[in-house]
Amino acid sequence: MTFDSLNPADGSLVASFPVMGEAEVRGVVGTARQATAWWRGLGFDGRAERLAAWRRDIWRRVDEIAELIHRENGKPVEDAVLEVVLTVEHLHWAEKNAAKVLRAQKVNPGPLFANYSARVNYDPLGVVGVIGPWNYPLYSPNSAVAFALAVGNTVVLKPSEFTPAVSQWYVDAFAAANPDAPEGVLSLVTGLGETGAALCNAGVDKIGFTGSTRTGKRVMAQCAETLTPVVLECGGKDPVIVAGDADLRAAARAVAWGAFANSGQTCVGVERVYVVDAVADEFTALLLEQLDGVRSGQDATANYGPMTMPAQVDVVRRHVADAVERGATFLKGGPDSIGERFIEPIVMTDLPEDALAVREETFGPTLTLCRVDGVDEGIKFANDHDYALSASVFSRSHGDEIADQLRAGQVSINAVIAFAGMGAVPMGGVGASGFGRVHGADGLREFAQTRGVVRQKFGLPGFELIAIKRARHVLPVMRKVLSVRHGL
Ligand code: NDP
């Protein structure tokens, strides 16, 4: 059985892929398991060399993969190039930093065990399964794949059924750049949701998932059966606070991009704005100026493309219909902006905080704008949400102070989304947005197994604390020493 990947702009065929069942997925995981010894045996330097060869190959062929992303996901070619840029930057960071972050670390064994040495090792887990989304079909899976590989794991990638061709290209590029690598270092399994479920049950050592909270819960429940650990990067409803002392033009520029780029299909995209009343009119005018002429399309001058997943159009329609019912004012666009595949920018205001467009992830080119009395009210609304992926604040003098009060996995000050391009900055959610981190040192450790190793350097005959025939004087001496140590 096969399924088709279609161009979301016109429904034309991109490629067909097999729907892989449980047995096939287990077979691929088995091959990946066999490849772990070779990949792990290369050590950090050997793996960094292989990852660098892959990275250079991806970058050399940037136009080819950008064109494929454009065709399969729908985003403009320029945005696809940006996605490739971020992908190779993260690969570079993982490859350059794995040894430094994961090298065995000596730790202090403490005064009770002064005759010991101790170290902490960060070992590969084995085989990591990665379940990817369609909105950033190269960048997003890479955030788990590159870091898991750099640690020394082999990886089996299950892409979204909407963007398998991009992942096929990515996996093939690894093999082409590393002809000496055995089969199984990085492999692909294709299919629908059931194939993802099969991967969870195929004996992998961890699952890195990006997608909806609903499916993330299913993945976690499946993995619970075998106690397979998971890192879940789920949805978001990211807020932006615009304070009274903000650079309003900069805020408007950033919000316009953060909310509408990639058709709003960005997990860390801007969906809600809380602007302080005193500057709300000016900010709104600047935002609308930024959005003047912004449109969806498939030509070279379009600002963003079609909705990648057809069903997402219905979500946007439902949220906008609810907004109409709840008495929203449309500052830009409205229900008529929603086409069959393309959606023009929609900005809504005067919405109650329990409207669907405020509560649920819209994942489309829409934005809600809410006037608040002051920053405190903005923080309250921003934080009063199940999702807590990322957040932003625009303020000339109080950015850090406001940022520190926002409930989110990452916060931007006077910017949006920039962290996603920084190799060293961990990314992940809180609450319904998931848990665990990709990127940075935390993103490497996420795919490593922590192992403590302690060594007795010399014995203490007559003073052994852990002995079946402990000398009678040991505990009284120990109690005295500890009383002094704890200040009694
Ligand atoms: P899903 O969460 O359903 O899919 C994400 C990935 O999980 C896909 O590869 C999917 O495969 C796979 N999958 C589906 N069911 C299972 C299962 N039972 N076990 C294991 N894996 C499974 O996202 P959708 O693509 O359906 O999008 C739905 C919503 O998710 C969007 O409306 C958006 O709100 C949110 N989303 C958030 C993203 C983010 O970056 N945080 C990214 C994408 C979506 P398949 O595609 O083959 O079904």
Side-chain angles (χ1 to χ4, degrees):
M1 203 168 67
T2 61
F3 68 101
D4 295 336
S5 161
L6 305 176
N7 181 330
D10 57 14
S12 61
L13 181 71
V14 176
S16 297
F17 291 85
V19 175
M20 294 170 73
E22 270 185 31
E24 283 162 291
V25 173
R26 274 191 182 276
V28 174
V29 170
T31 307
R33 176 81 57 204
Q34 280 169 16
T36 53
W38 183 83
W39 184 243
R40 186 178 174 158
L42 289 177
F44 289 115
D45 290 348
R47 285 194 296 274
E49 244 175 64
R50 302 312 198 280
L51 294 174
W54 183 32
R55 165 172 57 79
R56 287 195 205 99
D57 193 43
I58 293 175
W59 187 238
R60 201 170 26 244
R61 296 162 62 198
V62 53
D63 293 325
E64 182 187 328
I65 182 60
E67 182 59 34
L68 181 57
I69 294 173
H70 167 65
R71 270 204 298 140
E72 196 177 42
N73 161 283
K75 70 183 67 180
V77 174
E78 273 192 22
D79 284 359
V81 170
L82 180 61
E83 184 171 344
V84 184
V85 169
L86 298 184
T87 303
V88 294
E89 283 302 310
H90 280 290
L91 248 171
H92 193 229
W93 196 91
E95 148 207 330
K96 291 279 177 230
N97 288 280
K100 197 165 58 189
V101 171
L102 302 167
R103 196 179 294 131
Q105 289 177 14
K106 275 192 166 180
V107 292
N108 188 339
L112 294 185
F113 295 94
N115 58 327
Y116 278 70
S117 66
R119 65 183 154 92
V120 179
N121 280 24
Y122 297 100
D123 299 331
L125 296 164
V127 182
V128 169
V130 174
I131 299 175
W134 40 262
N135 53 341
Y136 289 87
L138 189 72
Y139 165 87
S140 191
N142 180 70
S143 297
V145 172
F147 285 69
L149 284 175
V151 174
N153 303 288
T154 59
V155 174
V156 178
L157 169 60
K158 151 69 180 76
S160 162
E161 69 199 64
F162 297 101
T163 50
V166 171
S167 290
Q168 179 80 67
W169 187 97
Y170 172 72
V171 168
D172 289 349
F174 179 87
N178 294 290
D180 63 330
E183 195 188 344
V185 176
L186 174 60
S187 334
L188 190 75
V189 292
T190 57
L192 314 181
E194 292 74 26
T195 306
L199 183 58
C200 298
N201 293 329
V204 294
D205 299 290
K206 184 152 189 168
I207 287 283
F209 168 85
T210 308
S212 63
T213 303
R214 186 172 40 87
T215 305
K217 286 179 185 174
R218 270 196 220 140
V219 164
M220 192 169 166
Q222 257 144 7
C223 287
E225 308 235 331
T226 47
L227 272 192
T228 302
V230 291
V231 42
L232 302 179
E233 210 266 75
C234 302
K237 191 77 193 174
D238 289 1
V240 169
I241 293 181
V242 182
D245 68 340
D247 175 341
L248 298 178
R249 191 171 288 278
R253 212 170 24 235
V255 166
W257 178 75
F260 297 96
N262 208 36
S263 318
Q265 303 170 126
T266 302
C267 55
V268 290
V270 176
E271 297 218 2
R272 302 179 283 153
V273 170
Y274 297 101
V275 54
V276 168
D277 201 36
V279 294
D281 287 340
E282 198 186 341
F283 172 78
T284 305
L286 289 166
L287 177 65
L288 295 177
E289 188 185 305
Q290 284 294 321
L291 292 176
D292 191 31
V294 168
R295 63 175 181 85
S296 67
Q298 227 12 30
D299 57 288
T301 59
N303 304 91
Y304 59 84
M307 301 301 286
T308 307
M309 185 174 77
Q312 199 66 34
V313 179
D314 297 332
V315 176
V316 178
R317 196 173 282 120
R318 190 161 55 79
H319 289 189
V320 170
D322 176 70
V324 171
E325 245 176 59
R326 308 297 298 270
T329 304
F330 285 83
L331 297 169
K332 186 164 182 75
D336 293 344
S337 308
I338 306 171
E340 205 180 308
R341 298 173 188 271
F342 292 88
I343 302 179
E344 300 310 325
I346 299 174
V347 182
M348 300 166 265
T349 192
D350 300 329
L351 268 172
E353 282 296 293
D354 62 351
L356 292 182
V358 180
R359 298 320 312 168
E360 294 185 2
E361 186 175 43
T362 308
F363 228 57
T366 70
L367 181 70
T368 65
L369 196 146
C370 174
R371 287 168 178 259
V372 289
D373 291 342
V375 160
D376 287 346
E377 192 181 30
I379 295 171
K380 183 171 137 267
F381 285 152
N383 287 347
D384 178 22
H385 214 283
D386 295 339
Y387 287 120
L389 192 50
S390 40
S392 299
V393 50
F394 285 82
S395 167
R396 283 194 171 91
S397 314
H398 305 286
D400 284 292
E401 192 183 312
I402 298 167
D404 289 348
Q405 297 176 66
L406 288 169
R407 179 174 169 263
Q410 43 280 321
V411 182
S412 306
I413 301 170
N414 299 334
V416 295
I417 314 181
F419 53 80
M422 301 176 189
V425 179
M427 188 171 110
V430 175
S433 294
F435 54 82
R437 294 295 180 263
V438 293
H439 304 164
D442 298 77
L444 285 166
R445 292 205 187 100
E446 193 72 49
F447 295 107
Q449 173 178 287
T450 307
R451 195 156 57 98
V453 181
V454 303
R455 172 198 292 270
Q456 185 171 201
K457 293 187 294 186
F458 51 87
L460 293 172
F463 273 94
E464 283 152 335
L465 180 62
I466 39 182
I468 195 75
K469 292 184 178 170
R470 188 183 304 115
R472 286 188 164 266
H473 56 268
V474 172
L475 270 189
V477 171
M478 182 68 61
R479 289 175 71 129
K480 275 190 193 145
V481 171
L482 282 192
S483 293
V484 174
R485 179 169 160 72
H486 295 299
L488 300 175

